[in-house]
């Protein structure tokens, strides 16, 4: 059920991530889900396996891999637990990748080894209570005061907003709606005026912490500007191009997990004296699921290839994220239907895939925003 993995390196990574997920994640998934427990010790351990700095060069303590390896890691973890897959994706593609792509050499040397090792967990702050997709209207403002910027405002729906050790925060430093009116700051936990707000009680992805970050006269030295003043929005859009590939991989893993569970159940469950997999209504459903997953994987892998080749990925990343996330919802919904009544109870795995999948069509740009991005890119060509 996999697009063929071409290299021995990828096969090794796939086996490593699979073994890790089965050993350290699967035994705890429902406990973590029900308690909304963010297992921070697990992420420290993942750092030992190289999963927390997959695309970070070795000179900064990372694994030094490309996006094909990264897609594989996210997919294998998400096949077992979407929550953990989401947190790994957010840590790698948002906070860590923003520093890798945009920060000074000093910042890279300071933060990337800690993030890549899993010693520190990263957060990324763009979304606000009243500005989701409409990021240029953000109300979180950083006002310069001598050698410092004073940051005030709230970021919400932030992965690791409470437990993250460091956050890249985008705040307005110029005029409203100005592409160059925002700046990215690297803010460490413990900085006076930087506090955690409400932790969200979510439908799915419950073991991935989502919380507010609140800034109350938080003084940030100008040395903590990530890149240049005024480049924050441009940087964020660049980071999201890569982030959408990771959400596509997350979606792919959830879809595969749900599909594999449905196939196995259909072979074991008997009705009218034979396995339900022999009935056309079920077998055709499985055929549709398998076809959609194959198409989603090819699109996601193509986006990863573009990224590794240094090509512009805006359109292909949006396509991969849009299609794969919708497939995750469709496949997990069909998986519940294959299970029938048992698909609706927590004793069986597909109800969690079903709940987790929906976030993929919302986070890092809704499906509607992806269509907007895709259509704009098409019409520019």
């Amino acid at each position: 059920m996999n697009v063929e993995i071409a290299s021995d390196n990828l096969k090794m990574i796939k086996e490593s991530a699979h073994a890790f997920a089965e050993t350290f994640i699967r035994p705890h998934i429902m406990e973590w889900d029900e308690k909304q427990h963010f297992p921070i010790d697990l992420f420290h351990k993942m750092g030992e396996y190289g999963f927390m700095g997959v695309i970070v060069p070795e000179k900064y303590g990372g694994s030094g891999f490309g996006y094909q390896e990264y897609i594989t890691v996210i997919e294998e973890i998400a096949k077992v637990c979407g929550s953990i897959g989401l947190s790994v994706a957010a840590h790698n593609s948002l906070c860590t990748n923003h520093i890798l792509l945009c920060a000074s050499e000093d910042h890279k040397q300071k933060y990337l080894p800690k993030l890549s090792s899993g010693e520190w967990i990263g957060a990324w702050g763009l979304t606000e209570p009243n500005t989701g997709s409409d990021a240029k209207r953000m109300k979180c403002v950083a006002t310069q005061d001598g050698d410092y910027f004073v940051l005030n405002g709230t970021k919400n729906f932030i992965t690791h907003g409470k437990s993250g050790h460091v956050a890249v925060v985008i705040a307005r430093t110029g005029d409203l709606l100005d592409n160059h009116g925002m700046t990215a700051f690297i803010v460490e936990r413990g900085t006076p005026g930087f506090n955690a707000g409400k932790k969200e009680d979510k439908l799915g992805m419950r073991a991935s912490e989502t919380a507010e970050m609140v800034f109350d006269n938080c003084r940030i030295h100008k040395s903590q500007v990530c890149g240049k003043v005024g480049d924050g929005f441009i940087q964020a859009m660049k980071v999201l191009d890569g982030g959408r590939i990771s959400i596509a991989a997350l979606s792919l893993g959830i879809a595969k997990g749900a599909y594999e569970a449905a196939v196995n159940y259909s072979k074991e469950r008997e009705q009218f004296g034979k396995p339900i997999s022999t009935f056309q209504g079920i077998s055709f459903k499985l055929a549709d699921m398998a076809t959609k997953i194959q198409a989603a994987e090819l699109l996601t892998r193509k986006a990863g290839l573009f990224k590794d080749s240094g090509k512009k990925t805006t359109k292909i990343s949006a396509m991969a994220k849009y299609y794969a996330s919708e497939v995750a919802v469709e496949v997990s919904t069909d998986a519940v239907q294959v299970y029938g009544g048992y698909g609706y109870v927590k004793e069986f795995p597909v109800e969690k895939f079903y709940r987790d999948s929906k976030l993929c069509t919302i986070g890092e740009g809704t499906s509607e925003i992806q269509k907007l991005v895709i259509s704009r890119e098409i019409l520019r060509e």
Side-chain angles (χ1 to χ4, degrees):
M1 190 46 230
N2 292 308
V3 173
E4 185 176 354
I5 292 181
S7 72
D8 290 339
N9 202 38
L10 270 181
K11 290 177 182 177
M12 179 189 70
I13 290 163
K14 179 182 175 68
E15 290 169 2
S16 176
H18 173 77
F20 184 95
E22 291 294 334
T23 302
F24 298 108
I25 300 174
R26 189 176 294 282
H28 308 288
I29 54 175
M30 291 313 296
E31 173 194 351
W32 294 340
D33 181 80
E34 289 170 6
K35 294 181 179 179
Q36 297 195 75
H37 173 65
F38 177 57
I40 195 165
D41 289 344
L42 177 78
F43 292 87
H44 298 324
K45 183 175 285 294
M46 277 196 280
E48 298 172 13
Y49 282 73
F51 300 152
M52 300 297 277
V54 183
I55 54 178
V56 174
E58 292 181 56
K59 68 177 181 177
Y60 299 123
S63 298
F65 292 131
Y67 270 77
Q68 297 304 328
E69 291 86 354
Y70 179 48
I71 290 166
T72 299
V73 168
I74 298 297
E75 176 194 320
E76 288 300 316
I77 292 171
K79 279 168 68 175
V80 174
C81 181
S83 294
I84 304 304
L86 173 62
S87 277
V88 174
H91 172 91
N92 274 277
S93 69
L94 298 178
C95 177
T96 303
N97 197 38
H98 197 141
I99 292 172
L100 176 63
L101 290 175
C102 307
S104 67
E105 183 63 24
D106 285 346
H107 282 152
K108 291 177 185 179
Q109 295 281 358
K110 180 177 181 180
Y111 293 109
L112 291 178
K114 291 181 179 180
L115 290 164
S116 298
S117 68
E119 178 186 350
W120 279 20
I121 307 296
W124 193 71
L126 179 65
T127 302
E128 298 182 5
N130 295 306
T131 57
S133 302
D134 191 11
K136 286 192 283 188
R137 294 182 192 271
M138 65 173 54
K139 296 180 179 179
C140 192
V141 175
T143 305
Q144 191 157 10
D145 179 20
D147 288 341
Y148 288 83
F149 285 85
V150 182
L151 183 58
N152 282 287
T154 300
K155 297 292 182 178
N156 78 329
F157 297 140
I158 307 303
T159 307
H160 314 143
K162 183 177 180 180
S163 296
H165 299 83
V166 63
V168 176
V169 181
I170 297 90
R172 188 156 58 83
T173 50
D175 294 334
L176 205 65
L177 303 179
D178 182 2
N179 282 358
H180 294 281
M182 285 155 278
T183 300
F185 299 90
I186 303 173
V187 189
E188 294 183 21
R189 185 71 61 184
T191 302
F194 174 22
N195 300 296
K198 182 182 74 169
K199 180 180 176 180
E200 302 295 344
D201 184 3
K202 298 175 296 180
L203 168 72
M205 301 292 195
R206 290 168 63 82
S208 177
E209 179 187 277
T210 305
E212 291 179 328
M213 296 192 300
V214 180
F215 301 92
D216 181 11
N217 290 321
C218 180
R219 295 179 65 81
I220 306 165
H221 194 268
K222 64 182 182 180
S223 63
Q224 291 302 103
V225 170
C226 184
K228 296 180 180 179
V229 172
D231 281 355
F233 181 77
I234 306 301
Q235 292 174 5
M237 296 304 103
K238 183 178 180 181
V239 169
L240 284 172
D241 278 350
R244 285 167 181 156
I245 298 174
S246 63
I247 299 300
L250 174 68
S251 304
L252 186 61
I254 290 171
K256 284 189 176 183
Y259 165 80
E260 291 172 8
V263 170
N264 292 336
Y265 182 79
S266 74
K267 293 176 180 178
E268 297 167 358
R269 172 70 165 168
E270 290 190 359
Q271 290 285 271
F272 306 102
K274 50 187 174 181
I276 63 172
S277 60
T278 63
F279 298 117
Q280 191 176 85
I282 299 297
S283 64
F284 277 18
K285 197 177 292 290
L286 295 173
D288 284 340
M289 295 160 77
T291 303
K292 290 173 184 176
I293 289 171
Q294 192 81 354
E297 180 155 18
L298 287 166
L299 197 52
T300 303
R301 293 285 176 183
K302 183 175 181 180
L305 182 64
F306 269 47
K307 192 71 174 173
D308 285 338
S309 302
K311 296 180 181 179
K312 183 180 179 181
T313 62
T314 302
K315 182 177 75 172
I316 191 68
S317 294
M319 286 179 167
K321 194 272 186 189
Y322 164 55
Y323 186 73
S325 65
E326 293 292 340
V327 164
V329 173
E330 292 166 12
V331 169
S332 61
T333 300
D334 283 345
V336 171
Q337 199 70 15
V338 169
Y339 271 73
Y342 290 113
Y344 207 66
V345 298
K346 293 183 180 292
E347 183 182 348
F348 294 87
V350 291
E351 71 86 28
K352 184 176 183 298
F353 287 123
Y354 178 72
R355 288 186 291 107
D356 287 348
S357 67
K358 190 57 193 169
L359 183 277
C360 298
T361 68
I362 299 170
E364 295 196 35
T366 63
S367 291
E368 291 73 21
I369 288 296
Q370 303 313 314
K371 291 183 196 180
L372 184 64
V373 172
I374 294 162
S375 60
R376 282 178 177 172
E377 291 299 311
I378 289 170
L379 295 172
R380 283 195 186 110
E381 293 173 352

